[in-house]
Amino acid sequence: SSGINAEWPLRPGISLLSKKTFERFPVLKRETHQISLTLLLAKTQVVEKFIDSYIQCELCYINTNHRLFIKNRPQLEKSCLEKSEGSEVLTPEQISTNKIRALLDLYIHIIRNQLMDVVPKTVICYMVLQFCDDLHKDLMKTLFSSDRVEDLMKEDMLVEERREKAVRMLGALERADAITSLLE
């Protein structure tokens, strides 16, 4: 489709969490993931509530003055009359019922098209744009509070062990280099 890709603003955060550098700090990665997930769920609820409210508004009132409804109504009524003049004789009640059914189908079609327009806009607004803004604020507020930085920046035990092993290996290599330089 030619619409806006709603996933693009989320990609930097997703790729950041999957980077090797982030693997060094598992507490930071876990906290970042949890904050992101919590915010995403909150934004999802906002979108669902908005769409439910929108549908409730449409159910409460049929706007017979909607421009597409007015434009298509005469054509629809004419087609109902032509169908009633066919082979089968319809009572006035059946003709009225058919008109009402056709008008309701038209209105449902109009509302469906409006929903197809409103839903992507709502998702972009709440789940992409506001999510990115709020995520930055939440991460800064939660992760960079002075009492948490040390805990969040604690490296994974495997990384610490590899570093200690590398330091020991470097020391051994330096001693070996010193011994070989004495032999020369």
Side-chain angles (χ1 to χ4, degrees):
S1 75
S2 62
I4 296 174
N5 184 350
E7 193 179 278
W8 71 265
L10 304 178
R11 282 192 183 142
I14 293 167
S15 67
L16 177 66
L17 285 173
S18 64
K19 287 193 182 218
K20 273 256 194 228
T21 308
F22 224 126
E23 293 297 325
R24 289 177 49 200
F25 309 104
V27 176
L28 179 62
K29 181 178 181 177
R30 189 173 40 253
E31 286 288 321
T32 302
H33 182 266
Q34 186 60 44
I35 291 167
S36 302
L37 187 59
T38 301
L39 184 60
L40 188 60
L41 289 173
K43 294 299 178 187
T44 301
Q45 291 171 348
V46 169
V47 169
E48 288 174 353
K49 185 176 179 183
F50 176 84
I51 292 170
D52 285 345
S53 296
Y54 182 86
I55 291 170
Q56 284 300 322
C57 290
E58 291 296 343
L59 290 173
C60 289
Y61 175 71
I62 295 178
N63 182 5
T64 56
N65 292 322
H66 189 283
R67 63 180 174 75
L68 293 174
F69 194 74
I70 291 171
K71 177 182 172 185
N72 292 320
R73 185 177 179 164
Q75 182 180 352
L76 197 66
E77 288 178 349
K78 182 181 175 190
S79 104
C80 282
L81 286 175
E82 288 171 358
K83 285 181 188 174
S84 68
E85 293 171 1
S87 60
E88 161 183 353
V89 177
L90 298 176
T91 66
E93 291 82 17
Q94 289 173 316
I95 293 171
S96 293
T97 303
N98 288 345
K99 276 186 195 178
I100 291 170
R101 184 175 291 127
L103 291 171
L104 284 173
D105 287 344
L106 171 63
Y107 194 71
I108 289 170
H109 178 75
I110 291 168
I111 298 309
R112 183 178 298 125
N113 286 340
Q114 287 178 325
L115 271 172
M116 288 170 46
D117 184 52
V118 167
V119 169
K121 290 175 182 178
T122 305
V123 168
I124 292 294
C125 178
Y126 291 104
M127 294 191 70
V128 177
L129 301 176
Q130 285 186 10
F131 173 82
C132 290
D133 289 344
D134 292 349
L135 180 62
H136 182 262
K137 292 172 195 168
D138 287 359
L139 288 173
M140 295 303 286
K141 180 176 67 178
T142 306
L143 297 179
F144 296 109
S145 63
S146 60
D147 59 333
R148 304 233 23 236
V149 173
E150 190 174 315
D151 181 45
L152 293 170
M153 298 309 291
K154 190 176 274 187
E155 288 184 313
D156 185 23
M157 295 297 265
L158 292 173
V159 172
E160 289 179 22
E161 288 172 10
R162 279 187 260 152
R163 182 179 298 106
E164 289 171 9
K165 186 177 178 181
V167 167
R168 287 193 305 271
M169 183 66 76
L170 180 62
L173 288 173
E174 287 173 346
R175 287 190 300 278
D177 184 46
I179 292 171
T180 57
S181 65
L182 290 173
L183 296 175
E184 290 178 358

